Every structure is written in structure tokens, then in C-alpha cells.
Amino acid sequence: MNGEREQENAPGSPKHFNQTMAPLDIESNTAAQEMLDHEKNGHADRAQWVLNAPEPPSLWRELKDCISESLLPQCSNFLSSRNQHGYKPVLSVLRAIFPIITWSRNYKATKFKNDLLAGLTLASLCIPQGIGYATLAKLDPQYGLYTSVIPPLIYAVMGTSREIAIGPVAVVSLLLSSMIPKVQDPEANPIAYRNLVLTTTFFAGIFQSAFGLFRLGFLVDFLSHAAIVGFMAGAAIVIGLQQLKGLLAITHFTNKTDVISVLKATWISVHHSWNPHNFILGCSFLSFILSARFVGKRNKKLFWLPAIAPLVSVALSTLIVFLTRADKHGVKIIKHIQRGLNPSSVHQLQFNDPHIGQVAKIGLIVAVVALTEATAVGRSFASIKGYHIDGNKEMVAMGIMNIAGSFSSCYVATGSFSRSAVNFSAGCETAVSNIVMSITVIICLEFFTRLLYFTPIAILASIIISALPGLIDLNEIYNIWKVDKLDFLACTGAFFGVLFASVEIGLLAAVTISFVKIIIISIRPGTEILGRLPGTDTFCDVDQYPMAIKTPPALIIRVKSGFLCFANANFVKENIMKWATEGDEKDTKGNGKKTSQLVILDMSNLTNVDIAGIACLEELRKNLVSNGIELAITNPRWQVIHKLKLANFVGKLGERVYLSVGEAVDAYLNPKMAAI
């Protein structure tokens, strides 16, 4: 018997197992009971989570945080650096201002070799393009070279992009040559015109620096991507037509930029005075440059060929004109280019000019366009290389370099897409390639400007024309059309505005269409009916997910807007009432049953609401109640529920405030759960 008892109590026996599991059963039953009790009180508790949330930050607190964190983000870093000792605080501030201090510590000879090759390749393209873009801006040729000296040096120590090539660009040159002549005629008084260009450059730098320092880069985004694509395409065609003056050696040409005026001026000039030698010379070297570009694209190892083709064209055409004395036979040449480094232009800035307001406005427009182009160029190559560029530091760097440029005879500089692509293809490692390019241009200014005396103007026109195809992105235009028709409207508005009116009209059309798009989306936000996806607790739009199952008599509606305000509240209210009552009207004709007895308003998208929005919600509740329909709200955001409580709207809803749509549906379809 004792042996049997020992066997029964043995560790492996069933009796011993039951005795061991007994305490565990009691514990599990207790845990299950606690979970059941928690589930019973779950709905009420979670509703209280929504209703008893702490007060959100006040308006004053939000403004203070915005100023301290967004407008002056470096202040906190500077104040924290004051606790450091020695030279570390100064070094941390210098690193924030001059990124070159950070990356130069890891700079090696192999990187310099690549940057040297890229910089020399860049200079071979920059020198002829700089001269050409200066003539496009209606300035003397040396100003294009000046602009390729100081701004690249400053950007190299302050900028964050490794591949971007700084200097004059076609679009900015067109903007200056189309807007400033309305204030000062460049042919009647070229010195006054030049001074206004330099003053515009100063204002452009001030605006760009302000955008970066105060984090106002969102202002640049008012020129949407689609608008920029259309603007660039239209500007490319306008610039190309403007070069007919150089290709045909036309003496008197229109100052207007629209297609009709340019073609009319060209037609009149062709029937009176033009020289075929210029046209033949320009078209011949244009064909050579385009052929070199085609070969370079087909063979990546020959990336240097399209880069040096413009410089080779300048050298060969200059030699041909010098040997044949073609300038005596009607071929127009550059003639004198001032030798030496950038002269100071501080005293040439015209702050007392009677048209200073217009000049500042032009500076703002040029600043935004230049920043938009530079930002697009920098980000595109940064994404390829897999690193991040600081947008605000880019704006400050662009602004400082243009301010300094206005003091040293430079006009507005920015990042060039064509030269940046060459810089990237040449294997640049850092912004040192900009320094190499700048030094090369300095050597050219000091020793080789006399060699450019016989350079034909038709060659400059052909160099500018050869760079224009890169500004017209047909694939991107097609993608815009395919994805978003309103964006395509902004794109075409900018394109045709530039083409048939003026540069300013094109920009205004693009910005206006973009604003109209924003307004339409804001005042007519979509509302969608939600249904439960089978086998899940997820509620989605029944139009997007046809398999989603509606939950009558509860009608679940979500507003597709972040702000319920005076501009869109009535539209939202009318849509909800239409959906809530149209089913009743249909059923009245048939069996007289109500389809909707409860409207559940999903507020998960709404981040804020104003007085008009709350008033419309109150009116919506009254209208629904008068039709025998109740209203419930789910997942209201912090600011929304706070304002609804202050307006006593939550009290009028009773207890119909839920954390999620699923809980609202369960509470209505299962009254027992709602009572628990």
C-alpha cells in the first residue's frame, strides 16, 4: 500500500500533476476574470481616454516653439556650446556655418585627383557658357567669367552639395534680360543697366539668405515641380529664339521675349540685313557640339568630349576668324574682354534709384527661381550618391555667395544642371571641383582674355542653344499629364505664359494655377463611406475596396481633409446629409424603412477645426436628429476634441465619442456592450 501511495505521489503520476496544476488553474481563472472585467469596462475607459486628454499647447506656446525651434534652430546649439570649454564652442559654430571644416578632415589625395579632373573639365564648359550667358543677360562678356569666380569659392566652403556646379545659368540670365530692361534700357545706358543688375543680385542674395536663416523655404515650394518643368521648357524655347540675333548677326532686335514678337523681328531683319557667314559658322559648330554630346551619351568613357566641345568650338572658330579676317566680311566678334580679376562693385549698387521697389521685386523673383533650380539639381544628385543636403544651409550659402558676388561684379549665380551633370560624370568627390574651376577661370581672366578678341558671337549663340535641350523634359511632362491633370494644367500654363506673353506672366500663371488647385482641394474636400474589410477590424473606403462590407443601419463617413473650416464646412455637411437621407427617401417609396439610424463620423484625418466648422457640426447634428438619426464621432485629434469640449458639442453628443470606428460600430450593434 505504501508503494502504491508513493507511486501515486510520484513526480510523473497523474495525481501529482493535478495537484501541481491546481494553483495554476486558480491563477489562470483569476487572470481570465480580470481580462473579462477589463473588457467589460474597455469601451468606457477608452472613451474617457479621448475625453480626458490633457489640454493641447496654447497658441502662444506654439508660436514660441515655432520661433525657437524652426526660425532660429542654431540658438539652442549655440547656447549648449557655451557650456563647453576652450576652443570647442567656436569650432562647433564654425562647423555649422562652414561644412567644409567637417568633410575636409577626411579629404585624401585620391579625392583631390578626381576633383582636379572634374574641375578642369567643368572649367572647359564654364568659360564659353559664362561668356554666352553674360551676353544673354545683356552684359559684357567678362561678367559671365566674374560670376564663375567668387560665387563658386563661397559655395565650396558653405554649401552641402558635392556635385552642384555654381555659376551663371540660362534661365536666370533670361529673367534679368527680360525684366530689368523695363526699368532701364541696356542699349541707351548700359552702365546704369549693369548697376541695376548688380543691385538685383544683392537683393536676390538677401532674400535667399533670409529664406534659409528663418526657414522660409516653403515659399520656394509655391513654384511647384510641374510649374517649374513647364517654365523651364518655355524658357528654353524663348532663349533659343533669342539666339537668332547672334546666329543671323541681326543688329536691331526686339527686347520682348514672346514668340510672336521675336519671330516678327527675325522675319523683318532677314528681309533687310543679315549675314549668312555668321549663320553658317554658328550652325556648323552647333552640329559639332551636338554630335559630341551624342557620342558622349553613347560612350560613358567619353564623358569629357561633350564637356570640352564648346571650348574647342570657341578656339577653332576664333582661329578661323583670325586667319581669314572674317570680321572684315560681316562676321560679328566679341572684341575686347576686360582683363584681370573681379573689380569691386560696392559703389555701383543703386539703393537710391527711384525704381528700387521694382528692382527688389525682380530680386525676389530671381531668388526664388534660382533657389528652385539649385535645390532640384542638388537633391537629384544627392539622391543618386545616397547622402542628404541641408536645404536651409543651401539657401544661406546661395544668399551669401550672391551678396558677395554683387560686391565683386557678379550677377546672380546658382546651380547649373548641365554643368552639374558634367561634374558628376567627371567623378567629382567634393565641392573642391568648384574651387578648381574658379582658379582656372581666374587664370583665364589674367592671361587669356586677349585670345578671345576674335571669337564670333554666333559661336556663343550656338553654345547657348546646345545647352537648351536639357531644359525640356518631355518624359516628365508626359508623367505629369498621366498622374495629375491639375498639375499638368499648371505646367502648360507656365509654358504658354512664358512662350506667348512674358516670363513674369508665365510665372504668375503657374503660381495662380497652383493656388487654385490648393483652394479647390481645401474648399471641396472629399468624403468617403467606409466599410469593414472581411476578416479584419479595418474600415476602408468602399469605392477603393469594393470587398469592404457596409454596416447598416450605421453609416460610417470619413472626411478627406486636415482642416474643417469656414471654407469647406458647409460642403462637408451637405455631403453627409445627402448620404444619410438619400437612402431613407428610396426606402420610403418602397417599404418605408430607414436605412441609416446612426452616422459615425471618422475624424482621424482632421487635425484642426475652427468656429465655422464647429457650427456646421452642430447644425449637422440637429438635422440628423430631426430625421431620426443619431451622430457619433471617432478618433478626434488633440486640438479637435479640445475645441469641441470648449464649445460644449461633446456634451450634446451624449456618450457617443469613441476611440475607433470599430468600437463605435460594436457599441451600436451590440447594445449590451454599449451598456457595459
Side-chain angles (χ1 to χ4, degrees):
M1 292 292 293
N2 292 334
E4 291 178 357
R5 289 176 182 174
E6 289 177 358
Q7 288 180 352
E8 288 178 357
N9 295 324
S13 65
K15 186 175 181 180
H16 180 271
F17 183 78
N18 292 334
Q19 290 174 351
T20 306
M21 290 299 295
L24 297 178
D25 288 340
I26 295 172
E27 291 178 4
S28 62
N29 290 335
T30 303
Q33 185 64 35
E34 290 178 355
M35 291 179 63
L36 183 60
D37 293 339
H38 180 73
E39 184 64 28
K40 289 180 179 180
N41 298 321
H43 289 299
D45 290 343
R46 286 190 286 272
Q48 291 303 313
W49 294 348
V50 178
L51 295 174
N52 296 331
E55 288 193 10
S58 63
L59 178 61
W60 170 248
R61 176 68 180 274
E62 288 183 349
L63 290 174
K64 182 180 177 181
D65 291 343
C66 181
I67 293 172
S68 61
E69 296 177 8
S70 297
L71 298 185
L72 298 172
Q74 299 299 333
C75 288
S76 57
N77 296 335
F78 176 74
L79 292 175
S80 62
S81 67
R82 291 177 63 183
N83 298 325
Q84 301 175 0
H85 301 286
Y87 62 90
K88 289 185 178 180
V90 177
L91 187 60
S92 63
V93 172
L94 290 177
R95 283 175 181 170
I97 300 174
F98 304 108
I100 191 173
I101 297 176
T102 302
W103 58 258
S104 61
R105 291 185 297 175
N106 300 321
Y107 197 70
K108 300 178 181 179
T110 53
K111 289 186 177 182
F112 178 71
K113 179 182 176 181
N114 294 332
D115 285 337
L116 179 63
L117 176 62
L120 293 175
T121 307
L122 202 57
S124 67
L125 179 61
C126 172
I127 292 171
Q129 278 193 354
I131 296 173
Y133 292 151
T135 58
L136 176 61
K138 298 183 179 178
L139 295 169
D140 293 333
Q142 64 267 19
Y143 287 95
L145 299 178
Y146 293 158
T147 307
S148 302
V149 174
I150 301 298
L153 290 175
I154 295 176
Y155 182 84
V157 299
M158 297 188 69
T160 58
S161 175
R162 303 169 193 168
E163 293 80 22
I164 196 169
I166 299 298
V169 297
V171 173
V172 170
S173 301
L174 174 67
L175 280 171
L176 294 173
S177 64
S178 63
M179 300 177 74
I180 296 182
K182 297 177 181 179
V183 180
Q184 179 64 59
D185 189 352
E187 295 182 1
N189 194 342
I191 295 177
Y193 174 81
R194 177 204 62 195
N195 293 344
L196 289 184
V197 170
L198 296 175
T199 308
T200 301
T201 302
F202 175 81
F203 279 114
I206 291 293
F207 284 121
Q208 289 172 335
S209 299
F211 291 160
L213 288 173
F214 298 106
R215 300 213 165 191
L216 301 176
F218 65 91
L219 295 175
V220 178
D221 294 333
F222 282 127
L223 276 178
S224 65
H225 173 69
I228 287 295
V229 170
F231 173 76
M232 291 291 187
I237 296 175
V238 168
I239 292 169
L241 292 174
Q242 288 281 330
Q243 300 317 300
L244 292 175
K245 177 183 178 181
L247 280 177
L248 301 176
I250 298 173
T251 305
H252 300 288
F253 203 69
T254 179
N255 287 327
K256 297 180 179 180
T257 59
D258 63 282
V259 172
I260 297 175
S261 298
V262 172
L263 291 178
K264 182 179 178 181
T266 304
W267 180 258
I268 294 173
S269 299
V270 165
H271 283 76
H272 289 83
S273 60
W274 70 288
N275 191 298
H277 298 98
N278 289 275
F279 183 75
I280 294 171
L281 191 65
C283 289
S284 299
F285 282 99
L286 175 61
S287 301
F288 167 70
I289 295 172
L290 293 177
S291 300
R293 182 171 297 170
F294 176 77
V295 173
K297 285 185 177 180
R298 295 291 297 271
N299 190 346
K300 298 299 182 182
K301 294 182 179 180
L302 298 176
F303 67 88
W304 50 268
L305 185 59
I308 67 168
L311 188 61
V312 171
S313 300
V314 169
L316 290 178
S317 62
T318 302
L319 185 61
I320 291 171
V321 171
F322 174 73
L323 294 176
T324 61
R325 302 301 297 177
D327 57 312
K328 303 293 184 181
H329 302 283
V331 175
K332 288 192 172 184
I333 59 176
I334 293 177
K335 296 183 180 179
H336 177 69
I337 296 181
Q338 186 173 326
R339 176 178 173 272
L341 295 178
N342 302 38
S344 174
S345 57
V346 175
H347 299 293
Q348 296 172 6
L349 301 179
Q350 303 295 312
F351 297 116
N352 295 323
D353 191 277
H355 303 289
I356 191 66
Q358 290 179 267
V359 173
K361 183 191 75 172
I362 297 171
L364 175 61
I365 295 173
V366 172
V368 171
V369 174
L371 279 179
T372 304
E373 183 173 359
T375 303
V377 172
R379 285 176 179 170
S380 61
F381 289 108
S383 63
I384 295 173
K385 284 286 189 75
Y387 69 94
H388 173 72
I389 63 173
D390 190 322
N392 292 294
K393 286 185 179 180
E394 287 292 292
M395 294 179 188
V396 172
M398 294 280 176
I400 297 298
M401 78 182 189
N402 279 317
I403 292 173
S406 68
F407 297 155
S408 54
S409 300
C410 304
Y411 73 96
V412 181
T414 188
S416 166
F417 186 83
S418 61
R419 294 197 296 275
S420 298
V422 169
N423 198 26
F424 174 79
S425 301
C428 74
E429 297 282 351
T430 65
V432 171
S433 59
N434 274 290
I435 298 176
V436 174
M437 178 196 72
S438 180
I439 294 173
T440 307
V441 175
I442 290 173
I443 295 172
C444 176
L445 279 167
E446 283 288 349
F447 302 107
F448 300 114
T449 53
R450 292 182 181 179
L451 300 179
L452 300 174
Y453 183 90
F454 290 99
T455 301
I457 292 177
I459 293 303
L460 302 181
S462 65
I463 291 172
I464 293 174
I465 293 174
S466 69
L468 298 180
L471 298 178
I472 303 175
D473 194 343
L474 294 178
N475 289 330
E476 188 61 24
I477 293 173
Y478 174 72
N479 287 334
I480 292 171
W481 159 258
K482 188 168 61 174
V483 173
D484 194 319
K485 299 302 186 289
L486 280 177
D487 270 349
F488 181 75
L489 186 61
C491 178
T492 54
F495 177 78
F496 289 113
V498 172
L499 210 59
F500 293 105
S502 65
V503 175
E504 307 97 293
I505 295 298
L507 288 173
L508 181 62
V511 173
T512 302
I513 294 173
S514 299
F515 266 110
V516 169
K517 175 186 175 182
I518 295 172
I519 292 171
I520 290 175
I521 294 174
S522 299
I523 66 175
R524 297 182 67 84
T527 48
E528 53 193 17
I529 297 178
L530 306 184
R532 191 195 298 265
L533 291 179
T536 71
D537 290 328
T538 304
F539 289 81
C540 298
D541 182 9
V542 295
D543 291 328
Q544 182 180 0
Y545 297 92
M547 72 289 299
I549 302 170
K550 296 182 182 180
T551 55
L555 176 65
I556 310 167
I557 297 177
R558 180 166 60 201
V559 181
K560 296 189 290 185
S561 175
F563 188 25
L564 188 65
C565 61
F566 66 94
N568 58 24
N570 277 314
F571 180 79
V572 171
K573 181 196 69 176
E574 291 171 2
N575 270 355
I576 294 174
M577 284 302 303
K578 181 184 69 174
W579 275 340
T581 57
E582 68 180 1
D584 297 345
E585 294 174 0
K586 291 178 182 178
D587 288 348
T588 302
K589 295 178 182 178
N591 51 24
K593 293 182 179 179
K594 288 183 177 293
T595 302
S596 302
Q597 297 177 8
L598 172 70
V599 171
I600 300 174
L601 188 58
D602 182 4
M603 291 187 163
S604 57
N605 286 343
L606 285 177
T607 58
N608 212 331
V609 62
D610 68 358
I611 294 297
I614 296 174
C616 276
L617 287 176
E618 173 62 23
E619 189 176 347
L620 172 66
R621 186 192 68 81
K622 290 180 179 178
N623 291 343
L624 290 174
V625 169
S626 65
N627 284 275
I629 303 172
E630 297 178 346
L631 175 66
I633 61 174
T634 67
N635 195 19
R637 298 299 180 91
W638 200 4
Q639 290 283 358
V640 174
I641 190 63
H642 178 66
K643 291 184 178 180
L644 293 181
K645 285 165 62 179
L646 291 178
N648 198 30
F649 180 76
V650 173
K652 297 175 182 178
L653 286 176
E655 298 180 353
R656 292 186 296 276
V657 179
Y658 302 94
L659 186 63
S660 66
V661 173
E663 289 189 0
V665 172
D666 292 341
Y668 185 76
L669 297 181
N670 302 292
K672 293 182 180 180
M673 290 294 296
I676 291 175

